[in-house]
Amino acid sequence: MKKIIGLAVIALMVSAPTLAAGDAAAGKAKSLICASCHGADGIAVIPGYPNLKGQNAQYIESSLKAYKNKERNGGNAAVMQPMASMLNDTDIANLAAYYSTMK
């Protein structure tokens, strides 16, 4: 029984998605345009804009993809949709990795 549980745990660990699958260094380079609103350190410089520093990578990815696909229309969508439309999936993963690893 212990072997079965051990194998199940290993299988779950191997199949679990990584938290920050992108390249944080590439995300940092790509983040320059984000910094004008979200701050160079990931802390928003404009009231009402979200802080990205330490944010969950999956949340950042899903949010950017939703803006890019025009599925997210409230709040700052008028600003974010054009920004996200310039990003490919690799850029999005890299940005998510960068911001999620900021301490």
Side-chain angles (χ1 to χ4, degrees):
M1 185 65 165
K2 288 182 182 180
K3 287 182 182 180
I4 293 173
I5 292 173
L7 290 173
V9 169
I10 291 171
L12 284 172
M13 289 172 40
V14 170
S15 66
T18 57
L19 295 177
D23 178 348
K28 182 177 183 177
K30 194 68 153 178
S31 73
L32 296 177
I33 194 163
C34 306
S36 60
C37 296
H38 296 285
D41 59 354
I43 303 298
V45 295
I46 300 172
Y49 279 52
N51 296 329
L52 299 179
K53 180 179 182 175
Q55 184 61 265
N56 180 283
Q58 291 176 332
Y59 176 76
I60 293 172
E61 282 195 53
S62 66
S63 295
L64 286 172
K65 288 178 180 179
Y67 280 125
K68 182 177 180 173
N69 297 326
K70 298 185 179 179
E71 296 167 351
R72 194 165 175 179
N73 298 304
N76 297 317
V79 174
M80 285 302 301
Q81 286 177 353
M83 294 294 171
S85 72
M86 296 185 288
L87 303 171
N88 61 39
D89 287 346
T90 301
D91 295 334
I92 291 171
N94 292 344
L95 285 166
Y98 171 62
Y99 284 114
S100 69
T101 57
M102 292 179 87
K103 301 287 181 202

